[in-house]
Amino acid sequence: DTGVSQDPRHKITKRGQNVTFRCDPISEHNRLYWYRQTLGQGPEFLTYFQNEAQLEKSRLLSDRFSAERPKGSFSTLEIQRTEQGDSAMYLCASSLVEGEAFFGQGTRLTVV
Amino acid sequence: AQSVTQLGSHVSVSEGALVLLRCNYSSSVPPYLFWYVQYPNQGLQLLLKYTSAATLVKGINGFEAEFKKSETSFHLTKPSAHMSDAAEYFCAVSGNFGNEKLTFGTGTRLTIIP
């Protein structure tokens, strides 16, 4: 296993369209996190899964955002009715030990 | 609640000089502290972490950081900068078990002058 994998790496979409991102964590990692990073800022926490259970959601995660982790393996993050303000890098991370998160390379979303 | 403040959004040092990146934290519980490095268009790589064991933590690529509770600081240092150290560095904090998310600072961009 080579690490956390995210797909796609880049996504350009028109405002109002729906987009879905996928994250494959390191196998045997039971914790999975989504973060969002805008230019010049540090990553901001969006949501967190332990196995298939979504344990915490940030207030940043509006009703247009939904995340799933069926069967506690890969996860998807969907954004409905995208807005220009959604343009950012979306980072996925997984961990086995508390706090020691391993990050994927991210999906860069551009909403035009 | 936890937060971190990174002093200096940009730091430039000469190759071979000391690298010092500053991070101060705020936490209502004993913190877990981390330094991550990010290269352009890449994810974040863990450099080192403090989890209430030794206060001086050694990480990868010759970096180390010292946890100072009295100063609420966790500054990152490297004795001799290398060109390959040029990147963005993020300090992060998380709380005790049960508070799993990381709260990041705004980052410090390190430039190495040849």
Side-chain angles (χ1 to χ4, degrees):
Chain A
D1 193 307
T2 56
V4 179
S5 177
Q6 292 189 246
D7 183 70
R9 292 290 311 279
H10 304 273
K11 178 71 177 179
I12 300 174
T13 191
K14 291 183 178 180
R15 189 174 53 186
Q17 297 295 303
N18 298 345
V19 293
T20 300
F21 310 141
R22 177 180 171 121
C23 172
D24 287 273
I26 294 172
S27 58
E28 90 260 11
H29 280 192
N30 58 354
R31 297 169 184 158
L32 186 147
Y33 312 80
W34 285 98
Y35 291 83
R36 180 171 66 189
Q37 185 179 21
T38 53
L39 207 58
Q41 299 296 316
E44 296 175 297
F45 171 79
L46 292 179
T47 190
Y48 153 62
F49 291 85
Q50 181 155 315
N51 300 313
E52 66 274 12
Q54 188 173 19
L55 296 187
E56 187 174 352
K57 291 170 58 174
S58 165
R59 280 172 285 182
L60 292 175
L61 215 61
S62 76
D63 291 344
R64 297 183 298 105
F65 287 69
S66 63
E68 293 182 343
R69 193 184 182 197
K71 302 179 183 178
S73 56
F74 71 93
S75 175
T76 58
L77 178 68
E78 181 183 16
I79 309 174
Q80 296 182 325
R81 305 181 303 282
T82 52
E83 303 172 356
Q84 286 190 322
D86 297 332
S87 296
M89 175 80 88
Y90 290 84
L91 294 167
C92 176
S94 69
S95 74
L96 188 56
V97 174
E98 178 200 10
E100 188 165 356
F102 293 84
F103 283 79
Q105 293 185 304
T107 294
R108 182 168 295 283
L109 173 66
T110 303
V111 181
V112 296
Chain B
Q2 294 89 32
S3 66
V4 291
T5 301
Q6 291 184 242
L7 301 176
S9 58
H10 292 85
V11 171
S12 295
V13 301
S14 297
E15 190 175 15
L18 171 71
V19 175
L20 171 61
L21 304 183
R22 300 177 186 273
C23 173
N24 288 87
Y25 71 90
S26 173
S27 180
S28 56
V29 296
Y32 289 63
L33 292 159
F34 309 83
W35 276 99
Y36 283 86
V37 61
Q38 185 176 37
Y39 297 100
N41 297 314
Q42 298 293 316
L44 288 87
Q45 181 182 7
L46 180 67
L47 280 176
L48 49 80
K49 64 176 182 179
Y50 166 77
T51 57
S52 73
T55 57
L56 182 62
V57 181
K58 294 187 183 299
I60 63 172
N61 301 337
F63 284 94
E64 63 181 37
E66 186 172 7
F67 173 72
K68 292 187 176 180
K69 184 178 179 180
S70 61
E71 299 177 8
T72 61
S73 68
F74 190 59
H75 301 330
L76 182 71
T77 60
K78 182 174 180 178
S80 178
H82 191 273
M83 294 300 295
S84 62
D85 295 328
E88 187 97 22
Y89 292 79
F90 292 95
C91 182
V93 63
S94 72
N96 276 339
F97 182 77
N99 185 3
E100 312 280 357
K101 64 187 178 187
L102 292 169
T103 300
F104 286 87
T106 52
T108 297
R109 180 166 299 278
L110 177 64
T111 300
I112 309 299
I113 303 167

